[in-house]
Amino acid sequence: MKPNQPMNIPSILSEEQYSACRLCPRQCGVSRTARREEPAVRGALLKDDSPTGSDSATGSRLGYCRCSDRLLVARAALHQWEEPCLSGVSGSGAVFFSGCTLGCCFCQNYAISHERFGMEITVRRLADIFLQLQEQGACNIDLITATQYLPSVIKALDLVRDRLTIPVVYNCGGYERPEIVRALADYVDIWLPDLKYFDPSLAARYSQAGDYFTFASQAIPQMIAQAGPPVMGEDGLLRSGVIIRHLVLPGARADSIRLLHWMKDNLPEGKWLLSLMSQYTPAGEAAPSPHAVPGEGSATGSRRFPELARRITTFEYESVLNTAIDLGLTEGYMQHKSSAKEEYTPPFNLEGV
Ligand code: SF4
């Protein structure tokens, strides 16, 4: 984040966005302004929201992400499970925001992304959290799935921009409007987007976002253009740059390979890092059904997404990995196949909130 920039918030990120929200590619256009009687802690009892588009607790209309303008955070703590150049020894300063604009059916953080577990905090409190994480030794401020709250998040960043000396990481699903990425130029040092799907039918099936690649393929080059090539400190920590994450999904290695070819053909060489991930574990709606009926095709997995109810095979990951190597996409990180463990998901217990 540029420390001495004037506080001139781009209008596309102003709080007026909450009145007709177009913060993400879904561009719902709804007013997310909440009435004040919603409980301050959003828990499991509130997960059965009305499917009609109004929030049963607030009465306000909601968009796809189902978030009001009340800033909900599920956890703010040092986090060891990002790439080594982000976690370092002490960990990234991870702030997990509740809700998500993408809402993948297999999300490892389902309780916060879909059920929006979290506690309401003020912008001032979020700014204090940033400083506390820095005092605890965080390598960076790791904003995890923040798009739906951007007007609040950048106000908090503005409050501490003269005291924050560690980089700001924008950790997102890659489903972003290029205009929003552009507006964040003075706030974000490190972009950490996923690049999830090439095929619109996969994106529609798993994330209800058939236009995922259309947006991600514009947003990610914009991130690279803004951040410039990766800059590492002498301590081995990333100061600025872009890391593109790709999680190999069961049965989707052909899509992964198409994405690698797109990266090779369309992204500037040497200007970004690849993080190729094998850690997929069935979770959320892709988790094995507790009520599976043997013989009905659901005994081994989710009824809606049976193809996702397993980990990836060694063949699937290695064929994707070998493609990356063959294409020369070797700057970055790869995981051992044994990395598929639930322990990558931290407990969402309001720690640090
Ligand atoms: S942030 Fe939420 S309400 Fe706003 S456009 Fe995206 S999905 Fe819709």
Side-chain angles (χ1 to χ4, degrees), residues 303-320:
R303 285 170 191 262
R304 285 185 62 202
F305 305 100
E307 74 277 23
L308 289 179
R310 65 168 173 87
R311 292 178 174 173
I312 61 170
T313 64
T314 299
F315 169 72
E316 284 174 319
Y317 186 64
E318 289 193 349
S319 65
V320 175

Side-chain angles (χ1 to χ4, degrees), residues 42-170:
R42 181 174 187 88
L45 290 176
L46 289 171
K47 69 184 179 186
D48 57 340
D49 293 322
S50 160
T52 60
S54 67
D55 187 299
S56 57
T58 68
S60 61
R61 282 197 68 208
L62 296 174
Y64 176 88
C65 67
R66 312 188 69 75
C67 296
S68 75
D69 63 347
R70 303 182 79 175
L71 180 58
L72 294 179
V73 172
R75 180 180 169 87
L78 298 178
H79 185 61
Q80 304 291 344
W81 303 113
E82 308 293 25
E83 286 72 4
C85 67
L86 298 176
S87 289
V89 175
S90 52
S92 69
V95 183
F96 289 85
F97 294 92
S98 310
C100 181
T101 60
L102 205 44
C104 307
C105 65
F106 53 83
C107 183
Q108 309 290 297
N109 300 339
Y110 200 87
I112 60 170
S113 62
H114 288 248
E115 296 168 359
R116 283 167 294 131
F117 171 79
M119 185 162 88
E120 183 187 359
I121 60 171
T122 63
V123 166
R124 179 71 256 179
R125 174 64 193 139
L126 182 61
D128 288 343
I129 284 173
F130 294 156
L131 294 178
Q132 285 168 2
L133 288 168
Q134 179 170 261
E135 283 164 17
Q136 290 166 22
C139 300
N140 45 61
I141 299 299
D142 186 9
L143 305 172
I144 301 177
T145 318
T147 302
Q148 65 277 16
Y149 296 118
L150 270 176
S152 307
V153 172
I154 64 166
K155 272 182 83 175
L157 286 171
D158 270 331
L159 286 173
V160 295
R161 64 164 59 238
D162 57 338
R163 285 168 284 169
L164 212 53
T165 57
I166 52 179
V168 173
V169 181
Y170 202 78

Side-chain angles (χ1 to χ4, degrees), residues 279-307:
Q279 71 186 54
Y280 175 83
T281 55
E285 294 160 68
S289 167
H291 309 298
V293 179
E296 290 191 3
S298 57
T300 56
S302 153
R303 285 170 191 262
R304 285 185 62 202
F305 305 100
E307 74 277 23

Side-chain angles (χ1 to χ4, degrees), residues 172-200:
C172 66
Y175 188 52
E176 305 292 338
R177 293 179 61 196
E179 302 91 326
I180 296 286
V181 172
R182 215 170 288 129
L184 285 168
D186 291 339
Y187 293 90
V188 173
D189 304 288
I190 298 168
W191 293 90
L192 184 59
D194 295 329
L195 184 52
K196 291 175 183 283
Y197 319 105
F198 185 93
D199 183 346

